[in-house]
Each structure stands twice: as C-alpha cells, then as structure tokens.
Amino acid sequence: MQVLRDVLYRLLPRPQPSGTMARDRQGAAKRLLILSRYPNPTVSYYLDERAKLAELPVIMKSLDDSLDAIDSDGLFVVICRYIKPPQLRWLEERRESLAGVAYFVDDDIRAVVTGREASWLYKFRLMTLAVRPLPRVNRLLTHIWVSTEALSRTLATAGQEIDILNPLPAHPANVPVNTVIEDVTPLKMVYHATGVHRHEHEFLMPIVKAAMERHDNLLFEVFASGALARCWNRLGIDPARITIVAPLSWPAYLARTTHENADIALVPLLPGKTNASRADTKRVDITRLQAAAIFSQCPTFARCAVAGELHISNTVEDWSAAIDQLVNDRECRLAARDATRYSIDRMREQATPTFPGVRFYPAVTQHDVAIL
C-alpha cells in the first residue's frame, strides 16, 4: 500500500510555471489581489501583516466572491492554497493584463492527500480546491512562494525558482499578557490540533492518561472529533477533568484562545513526509494562549527556539517528565511561557516583510488594505 501511495504522490501535480507568464514578462503591480479561503490560519500567519505593510493597495477576496468589479490592469494576484473555477476563469480571461500571479502554499498537499492521517472529506476538499486546478493555475504562474526551505526542496524541479515566505505574525506586543499569574489550581493542559495529526493524538493518549492519574490538579482540553474523539473518551479519564472540543472555525478558534488561556500546551510533531515541511506557526497559538509549551525536538521547532523553552525527544519517558516538570515548577512554567513569546520576535526577525519578486508601480505609494 505504501508503494502505491508513493507512486500517487509522484503523479499528483505540483505548482510550477508551465506557460507564457514567466517572470521576465511580469509587469509592474498597481494593486495586489489575495485569493483565499478567507479567513484562515495561513492568511493570518503569512499574509495579513505583509498586506498591512505593502506599498500598494491590497484587496482580499474569498473563494466564492465575484472578481468582476476589480480592474485587472496591473493587478498582481496571490492564490493562497485554493481556487475555484469562476475565479480561475476570470484570471485566464485577463492574463495579458495581469502584473503577475503567485501561488502560495504552506503544506505538502500531495503528502496530505496520499497520507494516512487526514479524513477522506478533507482529502476531497484538497483535491477539489488545490490539486485539480493546478494544471490550469500553472499556466498563469510567475511566482511560487512556500513557507519553508524543506517544502521548497520537496516542490522544486530543475531550474525552478521558489521563494520562501516565512511566517510573519503580529508583534507579540499586540497580544495582551497576564502580568500577574496566581499560583492556583487546577492547571489547564491543552492539545490543539486537527485530525491531520492523528499520529500525534495517538502518541499523546497514554502520556496524558498517565499524567492525569499522577496529578489531581490537572485538567485537560483536546480538539478532536469522530474516531479520535471516541478514542480520547475511551481512555477512562474522569469526564469532569477532560474537555473534548469539536474542531472550530478559524475565527471561533482565535476568539476562544484569546479569551480562554491555558497553563501547559503540548506540541508534538512526529517524523513523516507531511510534518517535514511544516513551519513553526504553532508558536503563535501558544503565545496567544499564554501557555508553557512542550515542543518535539525537531528542525521545525528548532528554527526560532530560545532559551527557556522545552524541546524534548518523542519518547513517553521524556514527555511524561516534561509534563511533571511544568506541573510541579511554577517558575519553569513562566519561563517557558515567556520564552515562546520571545521566539515570536525571532520569527519576525527572520521574515522579510515584503512579497518576494513583486515589482511595484512607481506611482503607487499608499498603504491601503481593503477586504471586500
């Protein structure tokens, strides 16, 4: 079965310019159009801040929005992961007047589609919105932007130029912080991840169950649905101490994690083709939760690591010991919480604030962002 998955992985299309819209034919941009399944975490992590800093007007459109009122002359278009046929036809009909088209992706979508973890519904959505349109999208592309060096290596073909668009979150100063942390019980520990991280859920289940048995003052919250939710339920953890939350929309998740903080956040990342290309954007969620995080020791989270964070091997013993340390040592919790907050500064320092390769029209100087 794995051989078949590997064959399918190689057969699925990848983003690569294949038509006449090459970089050397790119015009100067008068305005920027971002097409996305808006709102979503990819836009929040990578595009929102850059749009605010852009040297030209920025228009954001969701996938079902009409583009008919937009002037295509000198328009630079960013396709963020997905596109639907009506918007794709609109771009094809106006390709000669466009200043350029970039495709931005922050996941190895082919690995998700051919992997074992994602649900069939999610895979169908990826095939419909991301994979199936790619041959037509490729004929429009002047630029490809990806989130990590690892993803660039995965997608690149001979002679192909791919730009890295590192995460650029909002400055931590814009995130309110509890400056006084009372030493009270119980402590809230969370694991917030989608069903795409099924292996991580399964890895954590016995670790969390044992930790809950060792620490009576520990509450646990996990995001899960379907079979994963049933597995968490069957662990036998006291129902009064575990909360299983169905996956939320992005706006609902932002609101929840802004107003409901946590003490400890579990952030495992196991080896695998999909995880190898991931960025460390989970740091942003941890900072918003104001939690002390336990990270898997891996290249993804090593990128912006700072002293005081906990980065550990993916063993039951190490994860159990790290949980015990954070539960029992308040000062360690606060140090880890603050360290991840500082890591956001490092993340911002490593990110260029511009959209790579976009040539600006000289007359455009306004910083105007419109969500229409």
Side-chain angles (χ1 to χ4, degrees), residues 9-234:
Y9 178 86
R10 291 191 294 270
L11 289 176
L12 289 177
R14 70 183 75 188
Q16 56 184 107
S18 61
T20 58
M21 286 286 285
R23 285 199 184 200
D24 56 4
R25 295 188 64 244
Q26 173 196 350
K30 299 177 181 178
R31 65 195 67 82
L32 193 73
L33 169 64
I34 298 176
L35 301 178
S36 173
R37 198 164 176 260
Y38 189 85
N40 65 45
T42 301
V43 173
S44 294
Y45 296 143
Y46 296 92
L47 302 180
D48 275 345
E49 286 296 295
R50 288 182 170 93
K52 294 174 185 176
L53 299 171
E55 298 182 19
L56 70 173
V58 179
I59 305 166
M60 290 188 176
K61 288 287 189 178
S62 194
L63 299 185
D64 292 316
D65 292 341
S66 171
L67 306 182
D68 290 341
I70 298 175
D71 182 2
S72 64
D73 181 44
L75 184 70
F76 191 97
V77 182
V78 180
I79 300 172
C80 180
R81 293 176 61 102
Y82 310 128
I83 193 167
K84 286 188 173 181
Q87 292 182 344
L88 183 52
R89 283 196 298 271
W90 189 92
L91 295 179
E92 290 171 333
E93 292 168 358
R94 293 159 178 82
R95 71 175 70 189
E96 295 302 322
S97 62
L98 299 176
V101 180
Y103 180 80
F104 174 65
V105 63
D106 59 341
D107 267 326
D108 187 347
I109 289 178
R110 293 182 301 159
V112 177
V113 169
T114 59
R116 296 185 174 94
E117 297 190 65
S119 68
W120 286 107
L121 179 60
Y122 184 57
K123 290 182 180 183
F124 177 76
R125 184 161 67 240
L126 288 178
M127 288 295 297
T128 302
L129 298 178
V131 177
R132 186 177 177 184
L134 264 184
R136 291 170 63 187
V137 169
N138 284 342
R139 290 193 286 271
L140 300 171
L141 292 185
T142 55
H143 298 70
I144 299 174
W145 302 337
V146 299
S147 54
T148 66
E149 293 282 355
L151 185 54
S152 175
R153 291 191 295 271
T154 296
L155 295 178
T157 57
Q160 184 177 1
E161 187 174 353
I162 295 180
D163 294 299
I164 308 300
L165 204 67
N166 286 323
L168 182 63
H171 195 280
N174 298 328
V175 181
V177 175
N178 292 332
T179 56
V180 178
I181 305 295
E182 298 181 4
D183 194 7
V184 297
T185 59
L187 296 175
K188 181 179 178 182
M189 182 169 71
V190 302
Y191 177 53
H192 291 173
T194 65
V196 175
H197 292 276
R198 179 172 60 86
H199 292 326
E200 282 81 8
H201 277 270
E202 294 169 348
F203 170 74
L204 285 180
M205 285 177 186
I207 295 170
V208 169
K209 175 178 170 60
M212 299 293 283
E213 292 171 349
R214 290 194 305 275
H215 303 287
D216 293 336
N217 64 329
L218 201 55
L219 304 179
F220 182 63
E221 176 181 276
V222 61
F223 280 41
S225 62
L228 282 175
R230 291 191 292 272
C231 288
W232 280 107
N233 267 319
R234 286 197 294 264

